[in-house]
Amino acid sequence: MPLAEIPLRIWRQRAQSFEFRGHTIRYWVAGQGEPLLLIHGFPTASWDWHYLWQPLAQRYQVIACDMLGFGDSAKPLDHAYCLLEQADLQQALLEHLWVRQPVHVLAHDYGDSVAQELLARHYEGLFQMASCVFLNGGLFPETHRPALVQKLLLSPLGWMIGRAFGRNALANSFGQIFGPATRPSESALDDFWSLIESQEGPRILHKLITYIPQRRQQRDRWVAAMQRGEVA
């Protein structure tokens, strides 16, 4: 059965909002059943999940947000973006929705790191996780090989690189990630770019990319949590 695409225009119309530490966060909820939290990647947004949204909503209560600095959520310029805060955001969203039972988590890329933090918190008694699925992402920082644009964003000139980052650069980056049979269409690239460009997003890319060294800082704690193997 073909996956059901949700056009970005429709996706945005279905968004809801809540306030997190003084910032407006856009989120989506659909379906009924056990809660399933979807955590998106860098540098895009929760629209990453739109092909899977309707099939998953037939079985779960699916929940997703554009994290702080991403998509249509707030993108404050004078802010130190942190994976630990993004995990706080996920928990705040669940509190906002009055989700009290253990949560299934599906994450990829940047979202993997947020999910790793939630998994560590689960074992610390600070979060209730029913299961966790990690898709592609840097679960082990020592095996991660940053792309050239990521290295440049992490450099002292990162603020300039971010502001110069455009739709063509995004297309080139995606060309290295997607396989030849799965590359996004020109229309999809336009949509992904509109999510990044929203609220002058390129001006903070050099701040969002600090998740890479943050992964190294949390490596031992996160790997230890994965090694416990008590969460499905």
Side-chain angles (χ1 to χ4, degrees):
M1 186 176 87
L3 296 176
E5 180 179 7
I6 302 175
L8 181 58
R9 176 180 57 84
I10 302 300
W11 180 258
R12 281 173 154 159
Q13 290 173 359
R14 296 177 181 175
Q16 302 180 63
S17 300
F18 84 112
E19 291 296 308
F20 172 72
R21 299 177 182 173
H23 303 294
T24 300
I25 301 297
R26 302 288 275 173
Y27 72 91
W28 291 258
V29 182
Q32 295 181 346
E34 297 178 12
L36 171 60
L37 184 65
L38 307 180
I39 311 179
H40 67 77
F42 173 91
T44 50
S46 56
W47 191 64
D48 284 354
W49 302 107
H50 75 279
Y51 278 110
L52 298 178
W53 189 255
Q54 292 175 183
L56 289 173
Q58 294 176 15
R59 178 173 177 182
Y60 299 97
Q61 179 192 27
V62 285
I63 302 164
C65 72
D66 288 352
M67 287 183 276
L68 187 64
F70 293 86
D72 289 332
S73 288
K75 297 177 178 177
L77 178 59
D78 298 321
H79 190 82
Y81 292 89
C82 176
L83 289 166
L84 302 186
E85 184 179 44
Q86 302 287 19
D88 293 344
L89 167 58
Q90 301 295 337
Q91 290 190 267
L93 174 59
L94 294 171
E95 286 288 330
H96 174 73
L97 295 172
W98 291 89
V99 174
R100 295 291 184 263
Q101 65 194 97
V103 176
H104 300 281
V105 177
L106 174 59
H108 82 108
D109 189 61
Y110 181 101
D112 279 354
S113 299
V114 179
Q116 285 178 293
E117 172 61 23
L118 293 175
L119 180 62
R121 293 182 186 186
H122 168 82
Y123 290 121
E124 294 163 357
L126 302 174
F127 183 72
Q128 294 186 73
M129 184 178 287
S131 69
C132 187
V133 175
F134 299 109
L135 301 182
N136 61 303
L139 297 175
F140 302 94
E142 62 272 23
T143 66
H144 178 240
R145 299 293 179 265
L148 176 59
V149 67
Q150 291 177 317
K151 293 178 181 178
L152 292 173
L153 284 170
L154 281 168
S155 75
L157 297 178
W159 65 276
M160 294 178 58
I161 301 300
R163 289 170 187 256
F165 189 84
R167 195 263 192 200
N168 289 338
L170 176 68
N172 291 335
S173 296
F174 274 19
Q176 299 173 32
I177 297 170
F178 287 83
T182 60
R183 286 176 183 159
S185 66
E186 292 299 313
S187 175
L189 283 170
D190 288 341
D191 287 340
F192 280 122
W193 176 244
S194 76
L195 289 163
I196 297 168
E197 189 181 34
S198 173
Q199 302 180 67
E200 300 182 84
R203 66 183 181 155
I204 63 164
L205 287 177
H206 68 293
K207 294 192 170 190
L208 294 176
I209 201 68
T210 58
Y211 77 88
I212 292 178
Q214 290 171 30
R215 280 175 168 172
R216 293 194 290 268
Q217 294 164 9
Q218 298 294 330
R219 189 264 181 203
D220 290 346
R221 177 165 164 266
W222 289 353
V223 170
M226 290 192 298
Q227 287 175 329
R228 288 187 63 164
E230 298 167 20
V231 172

